[in-house]
Amino acid sequence: MTTMTTDLDTLTDVARQLRVDSVRASGAAGSGHPTSSLSAADLAVVLAARHFRYDFAAPDNPNNDHLIFSKGHASPLLYALYKAVGAIDDDELLTFRKAGSRLEGHPAPVLPWVDVATGSLGQGLPIAVGLALCGKRLDRLGYRVWVLCGDGEMAEGSMWEAFEHAAHENLDNLTAIIDVNRLGQTGETMHGWDVEAYAARARACGWHAITVDGHDMRAIDDAYRAATTSGRPTVIVARTVKGKGVAEVENATGKHGKPLPDTDAAVAELGGYRDVRISAERPDVDAAPHVFATEEAELPTWRVGDEVATREAYGEALAALGRRRGDIVALDGEVSNSTKSELFAKAVPERYLEMYIAEQQMFATAIALQVRGWRPFVSTFAAFTARAFDFTRMAAISRANFCVTGSHAGVAIGEDGPSQMGLEDIAAFRAVHGSTVIYPCDANQTAALLARLIDRDGIRYLRTNRGKTPVIYPADEEFRIGHARVLRASDADDVTIVAAGVTVHEALAAAERLTEDGIAARVIDCYSVKPIDVETLTAAAGAAGGRVLTVEDHFPEGGLGEAVLTALAGVDAHVRQLAVREMPGSATPEEQLRFQGIDAAGIATAARDLVATR
Amino acid sequence: MTTMTTDLDTLTDVARQLRVDSVRASGAAGSGHPTSSLSAADLAVVLAARHFRYDFAAPDNPNNDHLIFSKGHASPLLYALYKAVGAIDDDELLTFRKAGSRLEGHPAPVLPWVDVATGSLGQGLPIAVGLALCGKRLDRLGYRVWVLCGDGEMAEGSMWEAFEHAAHENLDNLTAIIDVNRLGQTGETMHGWDVEAYAARARACGWHAITVDGHDMRAIDDAYRAATTSGRPTVIVARTVKGKGVAEVENATGKHGKPLPDTDAAVAELGGYRDVRISAERPDVDAAPHVFATEEAELPTWRVGDEVATREAYGEALAALGRRRGDIVALDGEVSNSTKSELFAKAVPERYLEMYIAEQQMFATAIALQVRGWRPFVSTFAAFTARAFDFTRMAAISRANFCVTGSHAGVAIGEDGPSQMGLEDIAAFRAVHGSTVIYPCDANQTAALLARLIDRDGIRYLRTNRGKTPVIYPADEEFRIGHARVLRASDADDVTIVAAGVTVHEALAAAERLTEDGIAARVIDCYSVKPIDVETLTAAAGAAGGRVLTVEDHFPEGGLGEAVLTALAGVDAHVRQLAVREMPGSATPEEQLRFQGIDAAGIATAARDLVATR
């Protein structure tokens, strides 16, 4: 093992090593993407040895640059680079893609130097934009963000949300590198080797764009230097050869995503095994992230009986929490006057980020901010969280911690119609690994639960309603995540009604009506949909002869009803689900609930039937 | 009522009527988006009266142009236009947003002249691109596609997927109009009135771009004429004034999405009520859509015991079906050699559409093709369907009929790791209104079910596996959607194991092992996850003492287990769910199943425990 100087001639040799190790790792694994790694090896080594500033011994150093492989399938190259800088050894390199290895098929933050999981294309650049924004607006540190993109993934619209946003915020601390190796998985990309096509689009968006030969070390080096001084976000569009260095696979179709045909021959062709080291430069400053001033602020409270929309309570509570905690950041997709995150924006303007109508970029920014320890709160309509579902899924793999609030849940929004109604949102967020799903029914509960969500790990989803609902809980009531609240119970209940959010109020009214029929209904506010309160639900089912009625303003699949069914799967209970079953149109909120049979009358009818037949 | 000529001076008056009616409709509804309608009234009337070719009496005429309001919230303007052309009357106009009205808050195809639902921004242009592509490549008709976009929604990446794709396919039959009224919902858009910003981006993508004053009737008219002769997709970037014509709301913030403060005063200011008609020109040709040649082709079959991946069976079956039916079209997101839709592409190249790595544009194109009666089959990795979840949700509101196949389902893919694993896909597709979710376990079953899916309505999801599994069903076996297959049963079963896809094989092996412990296990292949076979599941639960074990290669929420719980909600059963509970990393397929406890050994252990404790 020799530690090399970082002059460009010797870096050419290190690039060969990266290629050799990419080929070896994929060969040992029997799978992986060596050809996509070979094309970018020169770009990677010049960056790592001469421009990237990172202390591999201290990945938490806030002054470290950030490097994201947006083309996550080039993981063999990334891991080869980690070996070249001494972060991993050759034995570990050869654990690539094996059970228990940190070197997964696509990079994930089980490795301390990986910020976020990539592998779903089109996500690394938006997250890089979020990190660059974080450096400018929140951390206020001089780190740079570097992101290696594939040419195929430039077809993803999320990449262009990122281009737009970076230009709008003038993120001159961001450099994107596009590895234009011409070939996607199945054939030529839309633009092939037309590097000017990418450059023209980037320039139109306001970026500085440089085209280079991605195998010319000097040109690459010059481009990186120009990127750091352009005063604008810069993209280096590099023409490269897929499979570079191994004649059998160079610029050939049908060679994507598989080991090379003959690993030993390829290693020999690349100059054979070697074990040299480069040292990444450490950050030259020792600055601390910006700390925002805080102030005393009480959580808002409301009087029982007041009529308040939970979205309003969310906005007020978020503003209060933001004033007293300097690490909270709010993001909205240009609907802050609907979600009420505008109240945060007014209270704490420095920590409000307007993401415009670009939900993917918004979620990507949240993922980026939590990498640096900020506590992001994303707000949009519940329906429009669907736009970022792939980012949410990937965020779980990133072990990301952030909160999403979806307003305008369900048919209860009324006249706007189904395009604006969140009716699949609970199903989607429940299915996200490690998630929390909360659906409060009144203002005090919303504020109390929001305060509990701040420091919880994972992706947390808070669902709010558009319309006003009565405050039913006193301001000092405590709510714990994973619990439910029994709102009404007797020693001789005939049926248990499980509701959340807007249907809690309908369930209470239904219970009142049912007393006229001599039916005693237990009513449970199941505000914590995930995790769910198995104990309270089990007790309630038992106390009501196993008769359980769930009521939700959501489609039947994957929502509250199925969460309750899962909770009660092991006990004697007969569960009937009321949910949104017909495609809604426009109507008043009251009509909408009635048409779907989830208003007080519908619940009472179903409860009577359940009691009569069971 | 007067029928007006369509000279530009008189059209100025008609534009006033559109404004008046937009204001009146919103006023009567007590909600809606009049200011967003006022900005685009001049653009709309010149288009409708002088360039749009449409037979309102025959909305199914294949030669009709298509008009999509991508800014669906400008629905008052669209409905005012329908009134001006005589398609609806004033009474109906004033039902806007009321229960039972066809005039929903955002346009939906409950109206015969509306192709698709809009209202989630950023979707209308991609669907318009799909329609233009349909006109060129499939229908081969001369219709034009016109799409009115908002400036705010240009921040959505999906719009730029559309720009890219339209240029790549040189869709000169497409005209996009951007209503640059400067103001979004909460404030100024990213580019304000900088029409050149939009034009420059469009030109960089290869479009013809024209900037106009969106209130200058002559300039608008010239722009439309130029659009039809540019030989390229054309965007008309129109500088407009939000709230145009009503001083109190003109170019003012805080006026989005609400009725005007004083409807009567606004109507007076706009020149008062009037009732004039314009007539849209009818198509000047009477051509029929292209009919593709078909040929005899048998569905592929496999021998019991063969090892075949269901994705391979899908590809082969799709190719056969495509050869014998001329209305089938396949779309893939640049992974056709993985999903195996490449087999269709080879068999029927004319009806294969490569959508590159742009899942939103791919789903939008499928939505567009089915508007014109084609039967689209979308293929990508199960994981990446998440990218288009908002389009899928909206497609249900569009009452769209198409099939999505998600390959590489679950942890069974092995080494590639979680970014490539569909683990939330069943939850997402089950939650889509009117959907069908099918997960076959062998090759013959895959082919048979695919044939059944073609003519089924709604959004159909077929889940396939990467790895090979043994063929267990004879080639002539019939499978019906909504049914399950009992693979193993006795008169004295101790437990029922419900599986689908890859876990069917594990369940069968587990049942074999359980005989050694004297435990008789019924095994059910629950290939139809939605609709689910309540009858067979109920009988199986009853026959096995209520002991039911579900096994799925998917996260626990919203998947097979919860579908079974819902099916059994009304009967005496104790259901235990085996599912993917830990975030996977890289490992072999066998290791992955073992780690999650969903392999034969894990199933047997859980079954023994269930039998011992219940």
Side-chain angles (χ1 to χ4, degrees):
Chain A
M1 191 250 280
T2 341
T3 296
M4 311 286 287
T5 58
T6 56
D7 65 280
L8 294 174
D9 288 340
T10 46
L11 286 183
T12 302
D13 280 335
V14 183
R16 277 194 205 109
Q17 170 175 316
L18 298 186
R19 291 190 167 96
V20 165
D21 283 347
S22 297
V23 169
R24 290 174 63 237
S26 305
S31 66
H33 297 77
T35 58
S36 305
S37 298
L38 298 185
S39 61
D42 300 317
L43 293 162
V45 75
V46 176
L47 175 62
R50 292 172 63 95
H51 301 276
F52 186 54
R53 297 187 173 213
Y54 194 92
D55 185 349
F56 276 91
D60 288 337
N61 183 338
N63 298 289
N64 280 339
D65 281 0
H66 295 267
L67 170 61
I68 296 176
F69 268 38
S70 192
K71 51 177 288 185
H73 55 287
S75 52
L77 174 63
L78 183 65
Y79 302 150
L81 198 61
Y82 288 158
K83 181 187 146 189
V85 298
I88 64 170
D89 62 21
D90 197 63
D91 287 345
E92 184 164 11
L93 179 73
L94 297 180
T95 66
F96 177 50
R97 286 175 165 251
K98 297 206 171 86
S101 172
R102 300 187 296 177
L103 310 189
E104 296 188 8
H106 295 75
V110 293
L111 282 168
W113 321 287
V114 172
D115 288 327
V116 293
T118 51
S120 180
L121 291 170
Q123 300 206 8
L125 178 63
I127 294 169
V129 168
L131 273 165
L133 189 63
C134 187
K136 288 272 180 190
R137 297 269 295 267
L138 299 169
D139 283 333
R140 303 186 185 176
L141 291 171
Y143 58 75
R144 294 195 64 77
V145 182
W146 309 86
V147 53
L148 178 68
C149 308
D151 49 352
E153 68 176 324
M154 299 307 294
E156 287 284 10
S158 53
M159 300 297 269
W160 298 99
E161 292 183 17
F163 267 89
E164 277 285 35
H165 209 85
H168 183 69
E169 298 276 356
N170 198 28
L171 303 176
D172 62 359
N173 54 344
L174 173 68
T175 306
I177 305 115
I178 309 179
D179 175 19
V180 184
N181 65 21
R182 191 182 73 84
L183 293 171
Q185 174 173 329
T186 64
E188 188 167 79
T189 64
M190 219 182 247
H191 300 299
W193 264 329
D194 182 3
V195 289
E196 282 305 326
Y198 301 105
R201 284 157 178 73
R203 287 184 191 119
C205 290
W207 282 49
H208 182 55
I210 304 167
T211 60
V212 295
D213 173 348
H215 303 302
D216 177 336
M217 308 296 270
R218 171 113 8 237
I220 295 168
D221 190 52
D222 289 345
Y224 284 134
R225 196 167 304 105
T228 60
T229 56
S230 72
R232 278 184 291 163
T234 296
V235 59
I236 297 169
V237 188
R239 179 185 161 124
T240 64
V241 176
K242 195 161 180 172
K244 174 76 175 178
V246 181
E248 189 178 355
V249 298
E250 261 191 13
N251 195 28
T253 53
K255 305 297 180 187
H256 179 95
K258 52 182 76 162
L260 298 199
D262 183 336
T263 296
D264 291 340
V267 169
E269 185 178 349
L270 289 163
Y273 177 79
R274 66 199 71 189
D275 188 8
V276 292
R277 293 282 183 276
I278 53 173
S279 52
E281 227 177 303
R282 290 199 184 81
D284 57 0
V285 291
D286 186 22
H290 182 72
V291 175
F292 287 92
T294 57
E295 55 184 317
E296 293 291 314
E298 289 299 311
L299 268 188
T301 58
W302 293 268
R303 279 177 311 185
V304 171
D306 282 357
E307 295 269 333
V308 186
T310 51
R311 62 175 169 140
E312 188 81 31
Y314 164 70
E316 289 196 38
L318 187 63
L321 293 166
R323 285 165 64 199
R324 72 189 196 199
R325 276 193 53 163
D327 57 350
I328 293 180
V329 184
L331 305 88
D332 201 295
E334 225 280 284
V335 287
S336 61
N337 56 346
S338 290
T339 63
K340 298 302 174 186
S341 75
E342 67 176 2
L343 300 171
F344 181 99
K346 281 170 191 157
V348 196
E350 280 188 309
R351 280 181 279 125
Y352 174 79
L353 302 177
E354 178 55 70
M355 302 309 296
Y356 299 94
I357 308 175
E359 293 80 9
Q360 294 183 94
Q361 181 59 56
M362 177 162 66
F363 276 65
T365 303
I367 295 165
L369 300 186
Q370 61 85 43
V371 166
R372 288 285 315 118
W374 300 92
R375 306 299 289 182
F377 284 74
V378 165
S379 307
T380 185
F381 281 33
F384 305 146
T385 62
R387 204 55 160 270
F389 190 43
D390 195 42
F391 281 77
T392 309
R393 176 185 79 81
M394 288 294 297
I397 306 173
S398 288
R399 283 71 175 170
N401 304 308
F402 62 97
C403 191
V404 178
T405 297
S407 70
H408 293 66
V411 298
I413 67 164
E415 292 82 356
D416 264 333
S419 66
Q420 319 293 302
M421 294 171 175
L423 290 168
E424 311 85 352
D425 54 319
I426 293 179
F429 278 100
R430 280 185 70 234
V432 171
H433 187 74
S435 66
T436 299
V437 177
I438 302 293
Y439 184 22
C441 72
D442 92 347
N444 285 326
Q445 189 183 36
T446 303
L449 286 166
L450 185 68
R452 292 226 175 234
L453 285 175
I454 297 180
D455 291 315
R456 193 172 170 88
D457 281 344
I459 296 159
R460 292 144 271 152
Y461 180 61
L462 180 76
R463 191 183 209 226
T464 66
N465 274 101
R466 174 180 177 277
K468 291 181 179 182
T469 43
V471 175
I472 61 171
Y473 292 113
D476 57 355
E477 193 96 349
E478 286 203 9
F479 296 96
R480 280 192 289 166
I481 291 163
H483 285 232
R485 185 61 45 103
V486 180
L487 279 172
R488 186 184 169 117
S490 73
D491 291 341
D493 285 325
D494 301 298
V495 60
T496 285
I497 305 172
V498 184
V502 69
T503 61
V504 167
H505 307 282
E506 301 297 326
L508 286 170
E512 222 25 70
R513 291 184 190 203
L514 288 166
T515 58
E516 295 162 20
D517 304 279
I519 295 174
R522 182 168 293 207
V523 176
I524 294 186
D525 172 7
C526 192
Y527 59 85
S528 183
V529 182
K530 181 182 175 189
I532 199 160
D533 188 343
V534 176
E535 196 178 324
T536 296
L537 290 169
T538 302
R547 287 179 290 273
V548 177
L549 187 65
T550 64
V551 197
E552 62 191 307
D553 189 0
H554 183 276
F555 287 138
E557 297 87 2
L560 174 67
E562 292 196 345
V564 170
L565 277 165
T566 292
L568 297 177
V571 304
D572 289 317
H574 292 108
V575 180
R576 212 167 278 183
Q577 289 172 265
L578 299 183
V580 176
R581 293 188 187 270
E582 301 299 323
M583 179 58 77
S586 285
T588 66
E590 296 72 24
E591 289 168 336
Q592 300 274 17
L593 295 176
R594 188 168 80 241
F595 295 161
Q596 303 292 344
I598 56 172
D599 66 342
I603 296 168
T605 301
R608 272 183 221 109
D609 185 65
L610 185 58
V611 171
T613 56
R614 284 287 171 190
Chain B
M1 192 252 279
T2 340
T3 296
M4 310 285 288
T5 58
T6 55
D7 65 279
L8 292 174
D9 288 341
T10 46
L11 284 183
T12 303
D13 280 334
V14 184
R16 279 196 202 104
Q17 170 176 313
L18 297 185
R19 291 190 166 95
V20 164
D21 283 347
S22 296
V23 168
R24 290 173 63 238
S26 306
S31 66
H33 297 77
T35 58
S36 306
S37 298
L38 298 185
S39 60
D42 300 317
L43 293 162
V45 74
V46 177
L47 175 62
R50 292 170 64 95
H51 301 275
F52 185 55
R53 297 186 173 213
Y54 195 93
D55 186 349
F56 277 91
D60 289 336
N61 182 337
N63 299 290
N64 280 339
D65 281 1
H66 294 267
L67 170 61
I68 295 176
F69 267 38
S70 192
K71 51 175 289 187
H73 55 286
S75 52
L77 174 63
L78 183 65
Y79 303 149
L81 198 62
Y82 288 157
K83 182 187 145 188
V85 298
I88 64 170
D89 62 21
D90 197 63
D91 287 346
E92 184 165 10
L93 180 73
L94 297 181
T95 66
F96 177 50
R97 286 174 166 253
K98 297 205 171 84
S101 172
R102 300 187 297 177
L103 310 188
E104 296 188 7
H106 295 76
V110 292
L111 283 167
W113 321 288
V114 172
D115 288 328
V116 292
T118 51
S120 180
L121 291 170
Q123 300 207 7
L125 179 62
I127 293 170
V129 168
L131 272 164
L133 189 62
C134 187
K136 290 272 180 190
R137 298 268 296 265
L138 299 169
D139 283 333
R140 304 187 185 174
L141 290 172
Y143 58 73
R144 293 195 63 78
V145 183
W146 309 86
V147 53
L148 178 68
C149 309
D151 49 352
E153 68 176 324
M154 299 307 295
E156 287 284 10
S158 53
M159 300 298 268
W160 298 99
E161 292 184 16
F163 267 90
E164 277 284 35
H165 210 85
H168 182 70
E169 298 275 356
N170 197 30
L171 302 176
D172 62 359
N173 54 344
L174 172 68
T175 306
I177 305 117
I178 309 180
D179 176 19
V180 185
N181 65 21
R182 191 183 74 83
L183 294 171
Q185 173 172 329
T186 65
E188 188 166 79
T189 63
M190 220 183 248
H191 300 300
W193 264 330
D194 182 3
V195 288
E196 283 303 329
Y198 300 105
R201 285 157 178 73
R203 287 185 191 119
C205 289
W207 283 48
H208 181 56
I210 305 167
T211 60
V212 295
D213 173 350
H215 304 303
D216 177 337
M217 308 297 268
R218 170 109 13 233
I220 294 168
D221 191 53
D222 289 345
Y224 285 134
R225 195 165 304 105
T228 60
T229 55
S230 72
R232 278 184 289 163
T234 296
V235 59
I236 297 169
V237 188
R239 178 183 162 126
T240 64
V241 176
K242 195 161 180 171
K244 174 75 176 178
V246 181
E248 189 178 355
V249 298
E250 261 191 11
N251 194 27
T253 54
K255 305 297 180 188
H256 180 95
K258 51 181 77 160
L260 299 198
D262 183 336
T263 296
D264 291 342
V267 169
E269 184 178 350
L270 289 163
Y273 178 79
R274 69 198 69 190
D275 189 9
V276 291
R277 293 283 185 275
I278 52 173
S279 53
E281 228 177 303
R282 291 198 183 81
D284 58 0
V285 291
D286 186 23
H290 181 72
V291 174
F292 287 92
T294 55
E295 55 184 317
E296 293 291 313
E298 291 299 312
L299 269 187
T301 58
W302 293 266
R303 279 177 310 185
V304 170
D306 283 357
E307 295 269 334
V308 185
T310 52
R311 60 175 170 140
E312 188 80 32
Y314 164 70
E316 291 196 36
L318 188 63
L321 293 166
R323 286 165 63 200
R324 70 189 197 198
R325 275 193 54 163
D327 57 350
I328 293 180
V329 183
L331 304 88
D332 200 295
E334 225 279 285
V335 287
S336 60
N337 55 348
S338 290
T339 63
K340 297 302 174 186
S341 75
E342 67 176 2
L343 299 172
F344 181 99
K346 281 170 191 156
V348 197
E350 279 188 309
R351 281 181 278 125
Y352 173 79
L353 301 177
E354 178 55 68
M355 303 309 296
Y356 299 93
I357 309 175
E359 293 81 9
Q360 295 183 96
Q361 181 59 56
M362 177 162 66
F363 276 65
T365 303
I367 295 164
L369 301 187
Q370 60 85 43
V371 166
R372 289 284 314 118
W374 300 92
R375 307 299 288 181
F377 285 73
V378 165
S379 307
T380 185
F381 281 34
F384 306 145
T385 63
R387 203 55 159 272
F389 190 43
D390 196 42
F391 280 76
T392 309
R393 175 184 79 81
M394 289 294 296
I397 306 173
S398 289
R399 283 71 173 169
N401 303 309
F402 62 97
C403 191
V404 178
T405 297
S407 70
H408 293 67
V411 298
I413 68 165
E415 292 82 356
D416 265 332
S419 66
Q420 318 294 302
M421 294 171 176
L423 290 168
E424 312 85 352
D425 54 319
I426 293 179
F429 278 98
R430 280 185 70 233
V432 171
H433 186 72
S435 66
T436 299
V437 177
I438 302 293
Y439 184 22
C441 73
D442 91 347
N444 285 326
Q445 189 183 37
T446 304
L449 286 166
L450 185 68
R452 294 228 175 231
L453 285 173
I454 296 180
D455 290 314
R456 194 173 169 88
D457 281 345
I459 296 158
R460 292 144 271 150
Y461 180 61
L462 180 76
R463 191 182 208 226
T464 65
N465 274 101
R466 176 180 177 278
K468 292 181 179 179
T469 44
V471 175
I472 60 171
Y473 292 113
D476 57 355
E477 193 97 348
E478 285 203 10
F479 296 97
R480 281 192 289 166
I481 291 163
H483 285 232
R485 185 62 44 106
V486 180
L487 280 172
R488 185 185 170 116
S490 73
D491 291 341
D493 286 327
D494 301 298
V495 61
T496 285
I497 305 172
V498 184
V502 69
T503 61
V504 167
H505 307 282
E506 302 297 326
L508 285 171
E512 225 21 73
R513 292 185 190 202
L514 288 166
T515 59
E516 294 162 21
D517 305 277
I519 295 173
R522 183 169 293 208
V523 175
I524 294 187
D525 172 7
C526 193
Y527 58 85
S528 182
V529 182
K530 180 184 176 189
I532 198 161
D533 188 343
V534 176
E535 197 179 324
T536 297
L537 290 169
T538 302
R547 287 179 290 272
V548 177
L549 186 64
T550 65
V551 196
E552 63 192 307
D553 189 0
H554 183 276
F555 287 138
E557 297 86 3
L560 173 69
E562 292 196 346
V564 170
L565 277 165
T566 291
L568 297 177
V571 304
D572 290 318
H574 291 108
V575 180
R576 210 166 279 181
Q577 290 171 264
L578 298 182
V580 176
R581 294 187 188 272
E582 302 299 324
M583 178 59 76
S586 285
T588 66
E590 296 71 27
E591 288 168 335
Q592 300 274 15
L593 295 176
R594 189 169 78 240
F595 294 162
Q596 303 292 345
I598 57 173
D599 66 343
I603 296 168
T605 301
R608 273 182 220 113
D609 185 65
L610 185 58
V611 171
T613 56
R614 285 287 169 187

